[in-house]
Amino acid sequence: MQLTAGANLALPNSDVMVKIKTSVPSHLGLDITAYILDASTSKVRGNADMIFYGQTHTANKSVELQESAHKSPFETTLHVNTNLLDSSVGKIALCATLDGQANISALQDIQIELCSHNQITATALVNSASKTEKALILAEIYNHKGTWKFRFVNQGFNGGLQPLAEHFGVVIANEPTPSAPPPPVETPKPASTINLSKITLDKSRPSINLSKNDGRFGRIAINLNWNRNPENAKKPSRFNPFAKTKGIDLDLGAMIQFKNGHIDLVQALGKRFGQYNAPPLMQLQGDDRTGASSDGEWLYINGNCWDQIERIVVYTFIYEGVPNWASTDAFVTIQIPQQAPIEVQLTESSPLGTCAIVALTNTNNSIQAQREVKYFKNQEFLDQHYHFGFQWKAGSK
């Protein structure tokens, strides 16, 4: 069923996905956000009701955002389970915003698909060329007299992500404007505000220092995502020159050194998935070998034990596929509670199969995040460069 603006239909069941597909120019960033709105006020009940790149799901996974790994083609999915929503929720607004000065007309037409049980129930199309705004309210999932429905909205919104979020009642933490001299004491931001800033570590800004008064950072979530690149599907893997692959398979890993000198690592190769509440205090959440997950691979680090950790080097390696980093569009996002998300993109190309992405160093119980993006033949050569001192042998997944 093809929907026009304003058209609606009842959801086929309580568990649905909304897919947003388009193509984004390389110099722009497109953000998909969802706002969980109170039935009586049509505003968020708190900042936990804004789902975006810095907060990708609710606590019970009733609403979950799976972000696109690349810009062309761009595909992001919103997963909603209405049975898990609080009874006070009346609507979920699904929106899109562009960063910078460009407006929606810079995109290709936006295709929206409502899916249930992997079947497309309805589609809708946004004619991007006709849009002069920086933001769009794409669609709504709403409760009408006890029945959950989907509506294609296609409504432009003047302003970017911050005014859109404020329109739905989100309280934004404003970044202080630099001045000279700086104030002697910085007033802490209220805990009820949300930070929309996204920190990108690149050559112009390779590092950042993050601190908390108690040195306890909570769960540090590191996500690796990439373009699986089906064009490489017929090329041989480096482990089997005669086998056909399913595209590039990146694996996430990390080496850790503790304050007491102990070293350890986690990676899927060798089935070293680690554990969260005991050494090595970090754990891989599975291994996306199929490339089917748009969520990529996750590594969790126990930041409440940061005072025990000296340093961590996060890396990735091409387990399957030709080492062609430029075609992976790979990036790592570091999410730390009450901190702006940190993103590191693997922009350089190399024929080598392993890449050190970011180093996290304990500096007086703060986290010094340093962009690395250095390439090595394999993990053993990476280890030698960073002087951990592991004993290496051949392994498999």
Side-chain angles (χ1 to χ4, degrees), residues 176-187:
T177 302
S179 57
V185 178
E186 182 179 352
T187 303

Side-chain angles (χ1 to χ4, degrees), residues 97-343:
T97 55
L98 268 179
D99 60 13
Q101 300 303 312
N103 57 43
I104 298 296
S105 65
L107 305 176
Q108 290 187 5
D109 287 351
I110 302 172
Q111 177 77 22
I112 301 172
E113 296 175 355
L114 176 66
C115 303
S116 175
H117 299 309
N118 294 320
Q119 298 293 321
I120 298 176
T121 302
T123 61
L125 186 68
V126 175
N127 182 357
S128 302
S130 64
K131 301 295 182 182
T132 59
E133 301 90 356
K134 285 170 56 66
L136 282 174
I137 302 175
L138 296 170
E140 297 171 341
I141 292 175
Y142 65 102
N143 192 324
H144 178 69
K145 297 181 179 179
T147 300
W148 283 96
K149 293 187 171 185
F150 175 85
R151 177 188 289 123
F152 176 41
V153 178
N154 193 14
Q155 177 185 333
F157 188 94
N158 289 318
L161 180 56
Q162 179 168 338
L164 180 67
E166 291 173 337
H167 169 77
F168 288 115
V170 178
V171 181
I172 304 301
N174 292 315
E175 295 296 325
T177 302
S179 57
V185 178
E186 182 179 352
T187 303
K189 295 174 183 175
S192 60
T193 60
I194 194 165
N195 195 330
L196 297 181
S197 301
K198 186 187 293 184
I199 300 168
T200 299
L201 299 184
D202 53 24
K203 291 181 178 179
S204 64
R205 185 189 188 181
S207 66
I208 188 171
N209 187 277
L210 307 173
S211 62
K212 290 192 70 175
N213 292 336
D214 60 1
R216 295 168 63 87
F217 289 89
R219 189 185 73 175
I220 301 171
I222 299 178
N223 177 250
L224 169 69
N225 221 326
W226 70 96
N227 179 358
R228 279 69 179 175
N229 197 0
E231 293 179 0
N232 286 344
K234 295 183 179 180
K235 296 179 181 180
S237 80
R238 64 189 180 93
F239 290 101
N240 186 346
F242 303 103
K244 292 184 179 180
T245 77
K246 297 180 180 179
I248 293 176
D249 177 19
L250 292 187
D251 273 5
L252 183 63
M255 299 178 185
I256 186 169
Q257 179 183 353
F258 290 88
K259 290 285 189 179
N260 63 10
H262 177 68
I263 58 174
D264 209 333
L265 65 82
V266 295
Q267 61 178 31
L269 189 63
K271 298 180 173 60
R272 299 180 63 95
F273 290 94
Q275 51 188 348
Y276 184 79
N277 289 316
L281 300 176
M282 53 185 188
Q283 187 173 40
L284 280 172
Q285 304 301 300
D287 174 29
D288 180 22
R289 294 196 63 187
T290 66
S293 172
S294 62
D295 206 23
E297 295 194 355
W298 288 91
L299 168 68
Y300 294 154
I301 299 170
N302 192 338
N304 286 332
C305 300
W306 186 248
D307 59 344
Q308 302 177 32
I309 298 170
E310 180 68 28
R311 61 180 177 135
I312 297 173
V313 174
V314 179
Y315 61 90
T316 183
F317 58 96
I318 298 179
Y319 178 78
E320 190 172 60
V322 176
N324 184 2
W325 294 96
S327 69
T328 66
D329 295 329
F331 64 95
V332 158
T333 305
I334 304 171
Q335 299 176 6
I336 302 174
Q338 299 179 7
Q339 304 277 357
I342 301 171
E343 183 176 275

